[in-house]
Amino acid sequence: MRVGYPAGMEATTAVRGCPPPAGRRERKKQRTREALIDTAFRLFGEKGFDATTVEEITDAVDVSSRTFFRYFASKEDVVLTYQEEQFATFLEELAARPSGEPVMTALRRAAVTVMRACEEGDHGFDPERFGCIQQMMERSPAVFGRSLEHGQKKQAEVTRIIAERMGVDPASDLRPHVAAGASNSAFRSAFEVLACGVTKAERMSDVLDKVFAVLEDGLNYPACETVPGPVRG
Amino acid sequence: MRVGYPAGMEATTAVRGCPPPAGRRERKKQRTREALIDTAFRLFGEKGFDATTVEEITDAVDVSSRTFFRYFASKEDVVLTYQEEQFATFLEELAARPSGEPVMTALRRAAVTVMRACEEGDHGFDPERFGCIQQMMERSPAVFGRSLEHGQKKQAEVTRIIAERMGVDPASDLRPHVAAGASNSAFRSAFEVLACGVTKAERMSDVLDKVFAVLEDGLNYPACETVPGPVRG
DNA sequence: CGTCTAGTTGTCATTTAGTGACACCTGTCG
DNA sequence: CGACAGGTGTCACTAAATGACAACTAGACG
């Protein structure tokens, strides 16, 4: 199974508003793409991800199924367009953090900013769609799996940025890799904690903030056992 | 798409040697299951995961394709049987760690023990198969994605154990969740670091050990800037 | 304007994963 | 032995995904 976009069909940033790129052809392509995404999300919301077939989506947009797969490598890819946007914004926010800021703090602030944008509808993010995705992640393993895969792939870029911030070489220093992994993990932990209902009626962004706080505090928890024990190592 | 095992086909721990369970029927089922797994891994090794069809596997074992899907919910599930065993062993090792040991240390030691077993062939793990899986994870996104999904699902059990060790309630305390996530993340970081060739010709277990060491040291990295002050290169 | 080219789409065929239904066979147990 | 239940094969079917090729059309250019 291919992943990403077929040749010549690279993602032309969907959500954020690039002004008319040029050419009627290009514009039509863009419109088709957006129509597919909008319709897909509408149907996903109505009937669920699994119960919605590609054909239903393409019929509604009035294009052939073949066309769908020229825009998206898989049905799940439609959902990932949103995550793609989230990630791009995350990178922007991260780059915008003051260069003197400690690594985890920068990651935390960037992450929380993005999540807030999704909740509030800033930066062109649709909060309703955000909720729809949350649901699909819980209900449909395929979407969940792809999302994890996507996140893991993108992690490399975060690693690079962190390494730059730290002024170390990611080819010889493990720390940027681990930090990026932890940051990635934070998103998933926040999601999991929300899904499992550990924290009730809390915003994702708040949970995420707390998760990062836990990471910043360090994970060296002693065993409980011996009362206010001095036992360490 | 279903995940897990069809009803009545629950995993009857494949690798570890449960002595003859009872009944010819049960034994035959077990043999079929193992034949499917062995044949699948052989073909995966020869032709790659994607290029191997379920039919090829079942033809070689001389059962119908339908039977395959009575044992495994998906083609990827065959590969995950190994990971399932790894995880079970990980939990055992974790439970066996002295109760006074700090959480991350216990996680680290359990993780490294399992990885060593896979490399050395202890506990009935086949090192060759382990290598085969590593390759598939790199080459075949489907396997990689399922593996991530599987790991994420299993994380809940680790969370529970960590919470017990810490003597806190996972329903109100985020720390066990984050620690479990970080531990999960450690495995993936080790894999990624090896795959990307950051560390050359090093054993997975050694890399994993180092990754955990980094986690234990904490992630509070300051920005590089040798000289304090927001000066940008 | 007419034409040529290249990019986009539709149609068709095909492969493969995965599932449901039902008949059949064979251990297991009374 | 005979009934029952669990496992298997066969058949039919849906749906995702991809390759090949023909048909259309925007855009470039003389």
Side-chain angles (χ1 to χ4, degrees):
Chain A
M1 151 148 30
R2 288 274 316 278
V3 65
Y5 302 94
M9 280 299 194
E10 289 72 27
T12 29
T13 36
V15 174
R16 63 196 61 250
C18 303
R24 181 183 303 170
R25 203 175 236 168
E26 206 63 25
R27 263 176 291 132
K28 172 151 191 172
K29 226 168 69 173
Q30 203 55 36
R31 261 186 287 132
T32 303
R33 181 181 158 84
E34 266 159 44
L36 283 171
I37 295 176
D38 289 346
T39 307
F41 271 106
R42 181 171 57 75
L43 291 174
F44 291 160
E46 285 171 17
K47 328 177 31 179
F49 180 85
D50 297 314
T52 305
T53 69
V54 171
E55 208 180 348
E56 284 170 329
I57 301 169
T58 54
D59 278 357
V61 179
D62 200 44
V63 295
S64 74
S65 319
R66 193 66 188 84
T67 295
F68 178 93
F69 289 107
R70 287 199 178 98
Y71 283 90
F72 308 100
S74 72
K75 202 171 83 172
E76 292 83 12
D77 256 37
V78 180
V79 181
L80 293 191
T81 56
Y82 197 94
Q83 196 171 336
E84 187 73 37
E85 286 299 319
Q86 282 182 313
F87 183 75
T89 307
F90 174 66
L91 286 189
E92 282 170 27
E93 292 297 328
L94 187 56
R97 299 305 311 168
S99 63
E101 203 167 48
V103 171
M104 284 309 283
T105 309
L107 287 168
R108 163 152 78 151
R109 297 228 206 280
V112 171
T113 302
V114 174
M115 216 42 81
R116 284 241 203 287
C118 293
E119 290 160 359
E120 314 283 355
D122 299 337
H123 292 78
F125 285 105
D126 179 351
E128 194 184 331
R129 194 163 289 185
F130 182 60
C132 178
I133 291 175
Q134 299 294 104
Q135 275 204 353
M136 283 190 274
M137 298 266 277
E138 290 175 41
R139 292 201 230 281
S140 165
V143 175
F144 186 58
R146 291 300 183 105
S147 173
L148 291 177
E149 205 184 318
H150 181 263
Q152 192 66 24
K153 272 206 192 88
K154 293 299 185 181
Q155 191 177 306
E157 295 178 49
V158 180
T159 301
R160 197 177 44 73
I161 293 182
I162 293 176
E164 257 173 48
R165 268 188 171 262
M166 291 175 65
V168 301
D169 182 7
S172 60
D173 196 326
L174 286 184
R175 294 175 300 166
H177 296 269
V178 179
S183 145
N184 189 355
S185 170
F187 281 92
R188 275 179 283 110
S189 287
F191 171 74
E192 180 227 330
V193 158
L194 267 185
C196 297
V198 170
T199 53
K200 310 199 184 303
E202 217 172 346
R203 287 188 303 177
M204 177 87 158
S205 55
D206 291 332
V207 178
L208 189 61
D209 196 47
K210 286 183 187 168
V211 169
F212 268 103
V214 170
L215 275 176
E216 284 183 87
D217 282 347
L219 302 172
N220 271 318
Y221 308 127
C224 60
E225 225 59 45
T226 40
V227 203
V231 195
R232 286 244 355 183
Chain B
M1 152 145 32
R2 289 273 315 277
V3 66
Y5 302 94
M9 282 295 193
E10 289 74 25
T12 30
T13 36
V15 174
R16 63 196 62 248
C18 302
R24 181 180 303 168
R25 201 176 236 167
E26 204 63 26
R27 264 177 291 133
K28 171 148 191 173
K29 223 168 72 174
Q30 203 53 37
R31 261 186 287 131
T32 303
R33 180 183 159 84
E34 267 160 43
L36 283 171
I37 295 176
D38 290 346
T39 307
F41 271 108
R42 181 172 57 76
L43 292 175
F44 291 162
E46 286 172 17
K47 327 176 32 177
F49 180 85
D50 297 313
T52 305
T53 70
V54 170
E55 209 179 350
E56 283 170 328
I57 301 170
T58 54
D59 279 357
V61 179
D62 199 43
V63 296
S64 74
S65 318
R66 192 65 188 84
T67 295
F68 178 93
F69 289 108
R70 286 196 178 101
Y71 282 91
F72 308 100
S74 72
K75 201 171 83 172
E76 292 83 12
D77 255 37
V78 180
V79 182
L80 293 190
T81 56
Y82 197 94
Q83 196 172 336
E84 186 73 37
E85 286 300 318
Q86 283 181 314
F87 183 76
T89 308
F90 175 66
L91 285 190
E92 283 170 26
E93 294 296 326
L94 187 56
R97 299 304 313 168
S99 63
E101 204 167 48
V103 171
M104 283 310 282
T105 308
L107 288 169
R108 162 151 81 149
R109 297 227 206 282
V112 172
T113 301
V114 174
M115 217 39 83
R116 283 239 204 288
C118 293
E119 288 160 0
E120 315 281 354
D122 299 338
H123 292 77
F125 285 106
D126 180 351
E128 194 183 330
R129 195 164 287 184
F130 182 58
C132 177
I133 291 176
Q134 299 294 104
Q135 275 203 354
M136 282 190 277
M137 297 266 277
E138 290 175 40
R139 295 202 226 282
S140 165
V143 175
F144 186 58
R146 290 299 184 105
S147 174
L148 292 177
E149 204 183 318
H150 181 262
Q152 192 65 26
K153 272 206 191 87
K154 294 299 185 180
Q155 189 176 307
E157 295 177 49
V158 179
T159 301
R160 198 177 42 74
I161 293 182
I162 293 177
E164 256 172 47
R165 269 189 172 261
M166 292 176 63
V168 302
D169 182 7
S172 60
D173 195 326
L174 286 185
R175 294 174 301 163
H177 296 269
V178 178
S183 145
N184 190 353
S185 170
F187 281 92
R188 276 179 282 108
S189 287
F191 170 74
E192 179 228 331
V193 158
L194 267 186
C196 298
V198 170
T199 54
K200 308 195 188 301
E202 219 172 345
R203 287 187 305 177
M204 178 89 158
S205 55
D206 291 331
V207 178
L208 189 60
D209 196 47
K210 285 183 186 168
V211 170
F212 267 102
V214 170
L215 275 177
E216 284 183 85
D217 283 348
L219 301 172
N220 270 319
Y221 309 128
C224 61
E225 254 72 40
T226 45
V227 186
V231 194
R232 201 202 138 259

